[in-house]
Amino acid sequence: YGQTGSGKSWTMFGSLKNMNDRGLVPRCKETIFQTIKSGQMRGAQLTISCSYCEIYKETITDLLKPGNTNLQLREDADKGVIVADLSSEYVGTVADVYQLMALGEVNKKKCATKMNPNSSRSHCCFTLQLEITDKTGKKCRGNLNLIDLAGSEKIAKTGAEGTTLEEAKKINLSLTTLSRVIQALSEKGRAPYRESTLTRLLQNSLGGNSKTCMMVGLSPHIDNLDETITTLRFAQSCSRIQNTIKKNTVLSTAELQALLEAAKREIAQYKNGGRPVVEMNDVEIQTQESTEEELWNYDDSAKEEKIQVEISGQIQVLEQQIQNEKDAHEITKKKLESRTLEIESMNERVEYMTTKAAEYEQQMTIYKQSHEKVFIQQNTIENLERKLITVENEAS
């Protein structure tokens, strides 16, 4: 984050031609592959893929396939906010990653301004997706999102006009929304993620299940003092945000089976009034109070059959309860999606009404100006008529 020309893109990407000047993105990728080669993940199955997109004037474009534009954001139950139909390329070496970075660099929107000869006109997101499966079948997945934000601009300094001016307006608007989101998160308030494509895309990274590092670019020149102070205040708000995180894991079949058995034992104990249950041949049998404190005859096949029938019935009830919970969750999810669509529709209507109100206000201003002109003209005519009557009287 920072004003235009403060070195953000150089920090993130650096030079792809000079290895000593490479930025954070290539260094992060190299570290990941070095960790793999070191043998720390020996015995695990690892898949790595990359995606690269930009937000140009609130429109998302795939930088690996530039013809794939006007992409939409979607809510995924497992992954959170994602870019629908964004291409993802599997990589096996650092060279593969450099090739994708070079391709995206060619397709990025850039132009020259008075403050930066190579100014980024879009926000860019380079994402590396990792999924690790260990020997037991347990899976762990995560995304490394590396974001290069376009810089905030003062039009008087950059000399932007025409298309460049329109780009600057969109950039400043999205960065303003980002500042509001950061401020809300730092105060534990409701963050307006949906008011900008940028903040909606970064929702997982800013306030979700994520470890986030925010770097700011500052200019040492006295002419940029105001922007430097604003950027430092933004960084101060970022430092107050605390995310609660957990690993994205998918349990193996054995772990899921163990959890199921534990749940069955807990239910059996609960139905038995909190008393422990006796296990025989991995089948849970509820103990019953006996005034004579006699033990059951486990060799009695009739009793075993009866117990098995009872346990089977309990398991069916449990499975039905789980299914009911899933159905209820699905219904709630659909209601939330419907409500989300309604809210988005309402936001569009509000935006439309705001635009119409601005147009009406402009028309009213024009009308008032015209009315004032007519009023002045009428006064001028009345004054002339009075002078004419006075001249006629004097002539008489």
Side-chain angles (χ1 to χ4, degrees):
Y1 181 89
Q3 75 175 114
T4 182
S6 60
K8 298 181 300 302
S9 296
W10 180 258
T11 300
M12 295 304 294
F13 294 97
S15 172
L16 300 181
K17 298 178 180 179
N18 187 345
M19 294 299 291
N20 292 327
D21 291 335
R22 65 194 188 282
L24 279 173
V25 175
R27 290 175 189 268
C28 287
K29 311 306 180 188
E30 291 170 9
T31 302
I32 290 173
F33 281 98
Q34 288 171 1
T35 303
I36 296 171
K37 290 182 178 180
S38 68
Q40 296 182 29
M41 300 180 183
R42 189 170 298 162
Q45 181 181 354
L46 179 66
T47 57
I48 306 176
S49 59
C50 296
S51 60
Y52 200 2
C53 68
E54 71 172 356
I55 302 175
Y56 175 70
K57 295 202 292 187
E58 293 297 293
T59 299
I60 302 176
T61 299
D62 190 340
L63 287 176
L64 302 182
K65 294 182 179 180
N68 194 12
T69 188
N70 198 25
L71 302 178
Q72 302 299 311
L73 296 172
R74 295 285 184 268
E75 188 86 25
D76 185 89
D78 296 326
K79 300 178 182 179
V81 179
I82 62 171
V83 181
D85 302 322
L86 179 65
S87 65
S88 182
E89 302 290 338
Y90 285 99
V91 294
T93 64
V94 176
D96 294 339
V97 179
Y98 272 104
Q99 186 176 0
L100 295 178
M101 289 172 55
L103 176 60
E105 189 71 16
V106 171
N107 296 323
K108 284 169 65 174
K109 304 290 191 303
K110 296 181 181 181
C111 77
T113 67
K114 290 182 179 180
M115 292 191 67
N116 189 353
N118 198 26
S119 176
S120 299
R121 311 313 294 167
S122 63
H123 309 296
C124 296
C125 177
F126 191 100
T127 301
L128 185 142
Q129 300 108 11
L130 301 96
E131 184 172 298
I132 303 172
T133 306
D134 63 16
K135 296 177 181 178
T136 65
K138 182 178 180 179
K139 293 183 179 181
C140 184
R141 63 172 179 266
N143 289 348
L144 177 61
N145 298 318
L146 295 153
I147 315 298
D148 179 27
L149 298 175
S152 58
E153 298 185 13
K154 282 192 172 181
I155 308 304
K157 291 184 178 181
T158 61
E161 56 184 15
T163 302
T164 307
L165 177 60
E166 293 301 317
E167 293 168 347
K169 290 179 180 179
K170 292 294 185 180
I171 291 171
N172 289 341
L173 182 62
S174 61
L175 292 176
T176 299
T177 306
L178 175 61
S179 297
R180 291 173 55 208
V181 168
I182 293 296
Q183 185 67 27
L185 291 174
S186 67
E187 297 173 354
K188 301 186 183 305
R190 182 182 178 278
Y193 293 113
R194 294 180 178 273
E195 293 186 10
S196 167
T197 303
L198 173 66
T199 51
R200 182 69 171 136
L201 176 63
L202 299 183
Q203 181 171 344
N204 299 340
S205 298
L206 296 176
N209 184 31
S210 176
K211 291 183 178 180
T212 304
C213 175
M214 178 75 76
M215 289 167 290
V216 296
L218 304 174
S219 169
H221 201 283
I222 189 64
D223 288 348
N224 299 321
L225 179 61
D226 291 341
E227 290 91 332
T228 298
I229 292 174
T230 301
T231 302
L232 289 173
R233 286 174 178 165
F234 176 86
Q236 188 177 35
S237 297
C238 291
S239 67
R240 293 196 295 265
I241 300 175
Q242 293 183 348
N243 286 343
T244 302
I245 60 174
K246 63 178 181 178
K247 284 188 177 181
N248 297 316
T249 57
V250 178
L251 299 179
S252 63
T253 303
E255 289 173 318
L256 291 172
Q257 187 65 33
L259 289 176
L260 179 60
E261 293 299 329
K264 290 177 182 178
R265 285 194 295 271
E266 186 176 350
I267 292 172
Q269 184 173 345
Y270 174 76
K271 291 185 176 180
N272 199 32
R275 294 185 296 276
V277 296
V278 177
E279 295 184 359
M280 185 188 70
N281 297 329
D282 296 330
V283 178
E284 298 173 356
I285 306 174
Q286 296 184 359
T287 59
Q288 297 183 349
E289 290 184 351
S290 174
T291 56
E292 299 177 359
E293 298 182 354
E294 295 180 350
L295 295 175
W296 283 15
N297 182 5
Y298 295 126
D299 295 329
D300 191 332
S301 59
K303 287 185 178 180
E304 288 184 6
E305 184 178 353
K306 179 180 178 181
I307 292 169
Q308 290 176 356
V309 171
E310 291 177 354
I311 292 176
S312 298
Q314 292 173 4
I315 292 175
Q316 289 178 0
V317 172
L318 175 62
E319 290 175 346
Q320 185 61 44
Q321 290 175 351
I322 293 174
Q323 186 60 43
N324 291 341
E325 289 293 334
K326 288 182 178 179
D327 293 342
H329 174 74
E330 192 65 28
I331 292 173
T332 304
K333 180 182 176 182
K334 290 181 179 179
K335 288 182 179 179
L336 287 174
E337 291 176 350
S338 177
R339 184 58 179 165
T340 300
L341 292 175
E342 291 178 3
I343 293 173
E344 290 177 350
S345 177
M346 290 176 63
N347 288 337
E348 290 177 357
R349 289 200 295 269
V350 169
E351 185 177 354
Y352 173 78
M353 293 301 295
T354 303
T355 303
K356 287 297 182 183
E359 293 176 356
Y360 175 75
E361 185 176 355
Q362 185 178 7
Q363 292 175 357
M364 287 297 296
T365 301
I366 296 173
Y367 171 77
K368 288 180 181 179
Q369 292 174 350
S370 301
H371 182 72
E372 289 175 356
K373 290 181 180 180
V374 171
F375 181 75
I376 293 172
Q377 290 175 354
Q378 288 179 345
N379 287 338
T380 302
I381 292 172
E382 290 177 356
N383 291 333
L384 290 175
E385 288 178 347
R386 292 193 192 97
K387 288 181 180 180
L388 180 60
I389 291 173
T390 301
V391 171
E392 289 178 346
N393 291 335
E394 290 176 353
S396 301

